[in-house]
DNA sequence: ATTGTTAATGACTATTCGGTCATTAAACTT
DNA sequence: AAGTTTAATGACCGAATAGTCATTAACAAT
């Protein structure tokens, strides 16, 4: 009885609508537990349509991971290249930009997704590692080196300190897409990041501010 | 032709052997992508045997999560209760104990597993939150309060600082079970933890050591 | 040895879901 | 208006797997 809704032909918009729907469901349920029909229906198309744009479920997963974060990494590299003030100020700038571009939208789910599926998709994990993680670490590491050279920071082990600085930021994103549902009062992200940076200021800097 | 190996009847040992096998595979592949037959075969039994001890795959998951970490939380509570020295020394003791009991064995995979599956098993996530996370946070939070009261630490927002302190430790465990396979040279865990604590000493304490 | 109890097995079932393809219809061409 | 192209559909297929159960055999009791 019910007339089926009219088909629309929108070849350009479909891929990003599909990856966006897939990201949301992969982050919520994980790769294996997400059904292609649910992705398609969330994107407003049928399962067959999905296969017009992606070869397989795994190809869709790769597209999801490769889509969102790369531009933001490049933007942060540009910020670092054009920075004038102190090294700690640069760390603050990089974090602020990361948060505004990743922390507050759907891409914030990617770290959880990548962590959960890295061992099932080593090839995609490698891509993410080389093109996101390595570059972000290099950026923070260079900033630490610069701050050490100028006497702003104490003597630090660069690579390890970099890891320790990044960890709470990643953990915040992961938390918000996993255990956060158990808390009644969710984490206050701005306060969390501000606390992290305050600890770092005292922890990294040679002279107290 | 090949004689099947003799069956052994070991009712006592089976459950823990099954949860141990399940933990390893759940951490590696995720819950949905792990096959019950693989768990059974890793535990040296058939799939039917698994159902003698666990009602369903989900019941097995619950058992895996509830098994390992609880005793360690209790041990750390005892350590805190009997502690004499400075508050920072207590933080170091708690971390050292956590690392020796969790960080270096199979249970180190539980945070990754729990984070990946929390939204698929909200009931289990709630159990973990109430019985592990909340108690560990309370322990760290009390230590911070004590250190603030005695003048050892600066003025701190307790709950948020607690989150920021715990995050790098969790992230280390998660990393080792996910993206670590992409690195050629793996993270030096003792150095990482030592760096974290060194940053914290400077970041938390009022007087420099 | 014989018998009873129950731990262990693995063939089997029912269902789910990734992937295919013949058909339909939207939009464009002439 | 008729014809052409191709985006979109959804019924269908085959493989994979969670869960069952009749059968087997290890061990204990006698």
């Amino acid at each position: 009885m019910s007339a089926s809704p009219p088909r629309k032909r929108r070849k350009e918009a479909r891929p990003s609508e599909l990856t966006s729907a897939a990201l949301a469901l992969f982050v919520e349920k994980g790769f294996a537990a997400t059904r292609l029909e649910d992705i398609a229906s969330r994107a407003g198309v049928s399962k067959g349509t999905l296969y017009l744009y992606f070869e397989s479920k795994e190809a869709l997963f790769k597209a999801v991971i490769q889509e969102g974060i790369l531009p933001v990494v490049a933007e942060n590299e540009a910020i670092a290249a054009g920075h004038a003030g102190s090294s700690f100020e640069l760390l603050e700038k990089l974090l602020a930009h990361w948060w505004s571009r990743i922390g507050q939208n759907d891409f914030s789910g990617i770290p959880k997704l990548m962590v959960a599926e890295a061992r099932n998709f080593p090839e995609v994990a490698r891509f993410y590692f080389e093109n996101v993680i390595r570059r972000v670490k290099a950026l923070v590491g260079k900033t630490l080196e610069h701050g050490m050279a100028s006497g702003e920071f104490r003597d630090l082990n660069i690579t390890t300190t970099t890891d320790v600085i990044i960890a709470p930021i990643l953990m915040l994103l992961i938390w918000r897409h996993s255990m956060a549902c158990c808390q009644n009062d969710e984490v206050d992200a701005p306060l969390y990041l501000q606390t992290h940076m305050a600890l770092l200021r005292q922890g990294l800097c040679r002279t107290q501010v």
Side-chain angles (χ1 to χ4, degrees), chain A:
Chain A
M1 285 299 271
S2 61
S4 56
R7 298 180 187 178
K8 293 290 172 184
R9 299 170 66 127
R10 302 192 303 117
K11 186 179 167 135
E12 308 307 321
R14 297 301 189 205
S16 68
E17 288 171 1
L18 284 164
T19 52
S20 166
L23 172 58
L25 290 170
F26 287 162
V27 169
E28 182 185 334
K29 301 173 183 299
F31 176 81
T34 298
R35 299 180 326 176
L36 289 177
E37 257 190 80
D38 288 344
I39 295 172
S41 108
R42 187 180 175 115
V45 297
S46 69
K47 190 169 59 165
T49 298
L50 199 156
Y51 280 89
L52 292 180
Y53 299 99
F54 300 94
E55 273 200 333
S56 64
K57 195 182 183 186
E58 181 166 346
L60 178 60
F61 177 77
K62 290 183 192 173
V64 164
I65 294 298
Q66 293 178 16
E67 205 178 56
I69 291 183
L70 282 179
V72 184
V73 176
E75 286 160 24
N76 261 349
E77 284 168 344
I79 287 175
H83 178 73
S86 75
S87 294
F88 190 80
E89 280 164 9
L90 177 52
L91 288 180
E92 284 179 318
K93 267 198 208 172
L94 296 176
L95 174 57
H97 188 254
W98 181 264
W99 182 251
S100 72
R101 293 277 275 112
I102 302 289
Q104 301 185 322
N105 68 39
D106 288 344
F107 295 128
S108 62
I110 287 185
K112 174 196 162 179
L113 176 56
M114 196 66 261
V115 152
E117 304 294 345
R119 292 172 76 175
N120 291 328
F121 300 95
E123 180 204 332
V124 182
R126 180 122 221 130
F127 171 88
Y128 189 77
F129 182 79
E130 295 296 340
N131 293 281
V132 178
I133 296 173
R134 192 188 286 286
R135 283 165 66 185
V136 169
K137 281 190 182 175
L139 219 44
V140 174
K142 287 285 176 201
T143 309
L144 292 181
E145 268 174 16
H146 196 272
M148 270 175 64
S150 74
E152 179 183 350
F153 294 153
R154 307 172 200 278
D155 186 39
L156 304 163
N157 176 311
I158 300 290
T159 57
T160 308
T161 305
T162 300
D163 289 343
V164 173
I165 290 175
I166 291 172
I169 300 162
L170 275 180
M171 201 62 225
L172 173 61
L173 296 183
I174 290 172
W175 184 266
R176 288 164 76 91
H177 288 282
S178 57
M179 298 294 299
C181 56
C182 295
Q183 297 179 291
N184 299 326
D185 47 342
E186 61 189 277
V187 178
D188 180 337
L191 176 60
Y192 177 98
L193 294 172
Q194 176 195 317
T195 302
H196 177 42
M197 292 309 279
L199 277 177
L200 280 185
R201 176 184 283 112
Q202 305 296 343
L204 296 173
C205 291
R206 187 179 293 279
T207 57
Q208 303 305 317
V209 183

